[in-house]
Amino acid sequence: MAGMELRALRKSYGGLEVLHDIELSIADGEFVVLVGPSGCGKSTLLRMIAGLEPITGGEFRIGGRRMNEVPPRDRDIAMVFQSYALYPHMSVARNMGFSMEIRRRPAAEREGPVAAAARTLGLDRLLERFPKALSGGQRQRVAMGRAIVRDPQAFLFDEPLSNLDAALRVEMRLEIARLHQRLGTTTVYVTHDQVEAMTLADRIVVMNGGVIQQVGTPLELYDRPANRFVAQFIGSPTMNLLDLAADAAGLRLGNGATLPGPGSAAQLGIRPEHLELVSAEEGEIAAQAQVIERLGSDTNVFTEAEGIGLLLARVHGNVDLRPGDRVGLRLMRDRIHLFDAEGARLPTAH
Amino acid sequence: MAALRRTPPALVAGKYAAIAAYVAFALFPLYWLLKIALTPDALIFSDGTALWPSELTLDNFRTVIFQSDFMAYFRNSVIVSLSTAAATTLIAAAAGYAFSRFAFRGKRWVVALMLLTQMFPLLMIIAPIYKLVAAIGLLNSLTSLIVVYTAFNIPFATFLMQSFFDGIPRDLEEAAMIDGCTRLQALRVVILPLTLPGLGATLGFVFTAAWSELLFALMLINSNDAMTFPVGLLTFVSKFSVDWGQMMAAGVLALVPSCLFFLFIQRYLVQGLTSGAVKG
Amino acid sequence: MSATHAEHAPGMPRARLARAWLRYAVEPYLYLSPALLLICFVMLIPLAIGISYAFQSINLLRPFDAGFVGLENFETLVGDGRFWTAMSNTFWWTFGSVTLQFGLGLGLALLLSTQFHGKRLVQALVFLPWAVPTFLIALTWSWLFNPVIGPLPHWAAALGLLSEPYNILGDPDTALWGPILANVWYGVPFFAITLLAALQSIPSELYEAAEIDGASRWQCFTKITLPFLGPMIAITVMLRAIWIANFADLIYVMTGGGPANSTQILATYVFTTAFRKLDFGYASAIAVALLGVLMVYAVILLVVREKLVRV
């Protein structure tokens, strides 16, 4: 096992640079999730770590050793592909033992690790089957088994759960978390699903447009997003954004209410769960309920606020509201985020 | 979609009649070839155009196989076609792999070049090829035919192999490389076993093409020893054009290898011809 | 491209750079080189030589009369009645073959895209002609047209198509029909296979949606099938036409261009001039003319294709 160092890593295709100056340190045993919208460069970065894409500039080290020119087979890493990439002409057992077969370990030596991994993943009875006879979840397990057998310095996952249905995705997510707790192997995991990122990661790397937006623990990203992009990307449902005008009194909401803050135009962000739903008279913002989604544990209330626009409030439990009812909204003061015109985080008053 | 829509019986009958007509059209010439080959010499004119021969004999086949040069022609053709098929498949597999797995400078030009070779009349080069082959003293040798046929078939075979390689996900190779393979190892252990059907189909296509080539063989070969089957049969026809039974028996024999390969590659016909149709 | 960027990377030793360059720029050409070498030496260089022959006098029967003659071959060509006959024959041969092959091929593909008993067997049988070697097709059909040994003249006479059972290959007015018929027999499977693959690529949801919208079977064909297949059909037909225009085997074996040049197309004229008269210069001039015709045709094809793609 080993940590990783990414120093000023760049990637370009022809003249087009798709990753700009990526700086990242991954500690030994850490579970790091790369997350971002499609096309943000997260998969390319993972493939550079794996050695499948040549590195255009900068330096990449595993365990202190420079890896830029090392071919994938010598990097001692294992990877789980989105498509699983199981060898269709080999049985499950041979798929899992393939890395040892290539390194010319005798068949007798291969059996132990394969059997152990199969036991861990509940694949004992499937060892003689071929990939086409497996369900999606089973294929996913075999792909993971193939990685575990290697006992590598690091695991790489490339959107491993995106081909599974919702229930199986939750199950496999748990399995991956357990596996990491038990093995403690350094892991880099790519996904576009922020729920996967929040639940699995020790630290999350949010990327957009080939640039790292923020690195932090899930709660750091939730509580103190570095910019508007991270704020909107992390958290579900998405954070509400309100345009503010600035004057001598501070920041002015569209309907006249004011907030203390920096004396320049900005945007205010507030997560739906930090908007309190109160009676029309008590609220800072008067609004009209439009659509009410009842999820059982929570209720999402979409409201139209005069001069502000659509605001979503998320309330615990159920509320007695009907579309068209007038309501009041109150901002939890310590949960307000402020962003400048470029989207960077501004200090808040509290 | 026809599940709920009732088809009128007249239309169904018409459809089966049309199918029967197509089958008859496709099979009749081959049936006739076989019929004459099996009719005894003495009865050919009296039976003439009757649909069934009144008597069957294998004499014509016996004569062709044991008392003529056709077996030598047959052997020459097998050597030429098999060598061409093997060489072409090997070379085209390498080229198709490069097209499928690499984005490289000049790729557009190489593809355009290969398409060009599919468009110009091959007969344009029959005279220069003759002079070149004569200059290096390879007239009347099977080697010159093999080299020429291999070159002719490479472009199509390359596009065919590329389409087979394209069907194998890149992830598999990458997984193998992460598992410890070099590129060549990944090719041998993972890609090759998966592309065996593709290799087989390409072999079949090229074999069939080489087996039936006539004009270049006519130009480059005129000694009896080196004649391929088409050249031999045509020479026989122009010299002894009355030995109907024997000629057709020889024709039936010429049909055998092609039909065997046809049965073998039939599954891939659609794939092969469409990739050929779209790309040239 | 990777290599040029690598040059800016600091601290990258030369050896590594060279290796990276080798891997990304040279490796694919390593795999391509046997194919490219063969194509160059067997096809492209002879092609260039062939074009140069068109401007030379090269006749193996008159070896001492060789040398560059400028456009003399082409001047002879313009005054050569056979050449112009061959030109118009090429058109009719190609047009007739393609039209019939396509029509029958489309019918077959539509039949095979429906369900019926014994479909797999039928499919194998009707595709069989495609596998028959072309010289054998030519021989078989010339035998079928021979009244001594083949039934076709007798049938045609019985149907009143012919006044008496004679060999149509021997009559200048009808001879071209012989090779065309043989070519149709050979080419229908190609069109059927190509069109069948295209038919199967049309999503069945489209037909279901049309059926729900109340379209009749004929409407489904004209409003969905044809527009969907249109561009692909046009390109296949046009490419196939080039191939057929160059396809000399059937005519050469069945009639040798005769009788009285009534079946001579440009491709067979090239071959007989080279093979029988050993006049390579003149043969190459005809071939260059054929290439010119095909190039004009290809330009038209490209324009049409552009139009189709835009739609």
Side-chain angles (χ1 to χ4, degrees), chain A residues 150-192:
Chain A
R150 297 269 309 273
D151 188 22
Q153 293 196 55
F155 288 132
L156 307 181
F157 289 88
D158 188 6
E159 308 216 10
L161 305 184
S162 52
N163 286 343
L164 300 178
D165 64 46
L168 213 50
R169 205 177 302 168
V170 174
E171 189 189 322
M172 290 310 296
R173 202 170 73 201
L174 198 67
E175 194 103 23
I176 293 174
R178 257 196 223 125
L179 202 68
H180 182 250
Q181 279 170 16
R182 210 163 52 83
L183 301 174
T185 310
T186 313
T187 302
V188 184
Y189 185 108
V190 163
T191 180
H192 62 263

Side-chain angles (χ1 to χ4, degrees), chain B residues 116-122 124-125, chain C residues 43-44 47 246 291 294:
Chain B
L116 173 80
T117 63
Q118 300 291 286
M119 304 294 267
F120 74 82
L122 269 185
M124 275 198 84
I125 60 173
Chain C
M43 300 181 82
L44 297 178
L47 179 65
N246 289 331
L291 185 66
L294 291 177

Side-chain angles (χ1 to χ4, degrees), chain B residues 42-258:
Chain B
L43 293 179
I44 280 189
F45 296 106
S46 56
D47 264 7
T49 55
L51 274 183
W52 297 105
S54 51
E55 218 178 295
L56 293 179
T57 175
L58 287 176
D59 277 350
N60 292 317
F61 286 95
R62 237 171 259 136
T63 318
V64 165
I65 291 174
F66 297 111
Q67 290 163 30
S68 76
D69 292 334
F70 276 112
M71 277 300 106
Y73 303 154
F74 198 87
R75 209 198 60 227
N76 287 339
S77 261
V78 168
I79 292 173
V80 168
S81 305
L82 274 185
S83 314
T84 303
T88 306
T89 305
L90 206 66
I91 294 172
Y97 181 75
F99 279 160
S100 172
R101 289 298 195 255
F102 292 86
F104 53 90
R105 209 183 276 173
K107 184 172 179 174
R108 283 165 54 101
W109 290 105
V110 178
V111 172
L113 195 81
M114 290 215 173
L115 285 180
L116 173 80
T117 63
Q118 300 291 286
M119 304 294 267
F120 74 82
L122 269 185
L123 284 172
M124 275 198 84
I125 60 173
I126 201 161
I129 289 267
Y130 178 84
K131 287 204 89 173
L132 285 175
V133 170
I136 50 177
L138 279 179
L139 284 181
N140 287 321
S141 92
L142 298 182
T143 317
S144 60
L145 280 189
I146 293 169
V147 173
V148 168
Y149 289 176
T150 301
F152 286 177
N153 283 298
I154 280 176
F156 175 74
T158 298
F159 292 130
L160 192 57
M161 281 311 300
Q162 184 198 347
S163 75
F164 284 115
F165 281 124
D166 282 346
I168 300 173
R170 223 176 241 261
D171 283 359
L172 285 183
E173 247 171 314
E174 294 180 341
M177 288 202 259
I178 286 179
D179 271 350
C181 293
T182 60
R183 184 180 276 282
L184 281 182
Q185 266 179 321
L187 190 61
R188 186 167 55 81
V189 186
V190 177
I191 305 301
L192 196 68
L194 293 175
T195 190
L196 277 182
L199 287 172
T202 309
L203 268 174
F205 276 112
V206 178
F207 182 94
T208 315
W211 184 262
S212 55
E213 207 289 328
L214 170 69
L215 300 181
F216 278 80
L218 268 179
M219 197 80 190
L220 296 178
I221 304 283
N222 55 38
S223 92
N224 202 43
D225 298 340
M227 277 185 186
T228 56
F229 209 95
V231 182
L233 191 57
L234 210 65
T235 313
F236 186 83
V237 168
S238 45
K239 275 187 199 152
F240 315 97
S241 59
V242 283
D243 237 332
W244 300 110
Q246 283 182 33
M247 285 191 301
M248 299 210 189
V252 172
L253 290 179
L255 198 55
V256 171
S258 309

Side-chain angles (χ1 to χ4, degrees), chain C residues 182-228:
Chain C
N183 196 12
V184 169
W185 185 76
Y186 171 57
V188 164
F190 171 86
F191 273 105
I193 293 168
T194 320
L195 293 171
L196 184 60
L199 280 175
Q200 284 165 348
S201 74
I202 302 178
S204 62
E205 290 88 358
L206 280 185
Y207 290 108
E208 284 157 7
E211 203 171 337
I212 289 167
D213 287 345
S216 73
R217 210 174 281 222
W218 175 249
Q219 280 172 324
C220 278
F221 180 72
T222 55
K223 306 282 179 196
I224 296 175
T225 312
L226 279 186
F228 215 89

Side-chain angles (χ1 to χ4, degrees), chain A residues 70-335:
Chain A
V70 177
R73 64 177 179 280
D74 298 327
R75 292 193 183 195
D76 196 16
I77 36 126
M79 182 156 164
V80 176
F81 289 81
Q82 181 176 5
S83 64
Y84 316 138
L86 302 181
Y87 311 121
H89 57 303
M90 299 181 191
S91 67
V92 167
R94 211 175 144 209
N95 258 289
M96 287 170 60
F98 184 68
S99 56
M100 291 184 284
E101 185 183 325
I102 280 298
R103 293 186 168 80
R104 296 181 197 288
R105 297 258 300 271
E109 267 181 53
R110 302 204 289 255
E111 269 169 31
V114 169
R119 236 182 347 267
T120 314
L121 293 163
L123 292 169
D124 316 50
R125 293 187 187 167
L126 304 175
L127 282 175
E128 295 315 312
R129 293 242 195 122
F130 283 84
K132 64 171 180 289
L134 299 179
S135 69
Q138 289 167 336
R139 287 179 202 184
Q140 171 71 66
R141 281 169 204 272
V142 176
M144 280 167 53
R146 197 165 64 180
I148 297 172
V149 164
R150 297 269 309 273
D151 188 22
Q153 293 196 55
F155 288 132
L156 307 181
F157 289 88
D158 188 6
E159 308 216 10
L161 305 184
S162 52
N163 286 343
L164 300 178
D165 64 46
L168 213 50
R169 205 177 302 168
V170 174
E171 189 189 322
M172 290 310 296
R173 202 170 73 201
L174 198 67
E175 194 103 23
I176 293 174
R178 257 196 223 125
L179 202 68
H180 182 250
Q181 279 170 16
R182 210 163 52 83
L183 301 174
T185 310
T186 313
T187 302
V188 184
Y189 185 108
V190 163
T191 180
H192 62 263
D193 178 357
Q194 55 103 8
V195 178
E196 263 172 50
M198 294 293 280
T199 50
L200 284 170
D202 291 329
R203 276 194 307 155
I204 296 177
V205 179
V206 183
M207 297 181 64
N208 190 34
V211 176
I212 292 186
Q213 302 291 321
Q214 188 174 6
V215 183
T217 65
L219 284 183
E220 276 168 21
L221 297 190
Y222 180 80
D223 289 335
R224 295 185 55 82
N227 56 39
R228 192 166 53 210
F229 177 81
V230 177
Q232 290 228 287
F233 196 81
I234 300 290
S236 169
T238 313
M239 181 184 280
N240 296 301
L241 282 178
L242 292 71
D243 286 318
L244 298 175
D247 62 16
L251 298 169
R252 192 177 291 279
L253 285 173
N255 63 350
T258 56
L259 291 164
S264 61
Q267 260 183 334
L268 179 150
I270 181 95
R271 297 192 186 279
E273 52 270 43
H274 302 146
L275 263 183
E276 278 180 295
L277 199 63
V278 292
S279 69
E281 302 77 44
E282 289 174 284
E284 292 173 294
I285 301 171
Q288 190 177 30
Q290 287 197 323
V291 176
I292 296 139
E293 294 178 343
R294 297 178 203 281
L295 305 175
S297 62
D298 298 289
T299 305
N300 292 337
V301 184
F302 292 86
T303 66
E304 178 72 32
E306 286 153 39
I308 293 174
L310 195 66
L311 285 177
L312 169 59
R314 186 182 184 113
V315 190
H316 218 64
N318 197 5
V319 285
D320 186 22
L321 269 183
R322 238 174 298 250
D325 286 355
R326 299 211 53 84
V327 295
L329 297 168
R330 204 149 58 191
L331 314 169
M332 295 185 188
R333 283 306 155 95
D334 54 342
R335 296 295 203 170

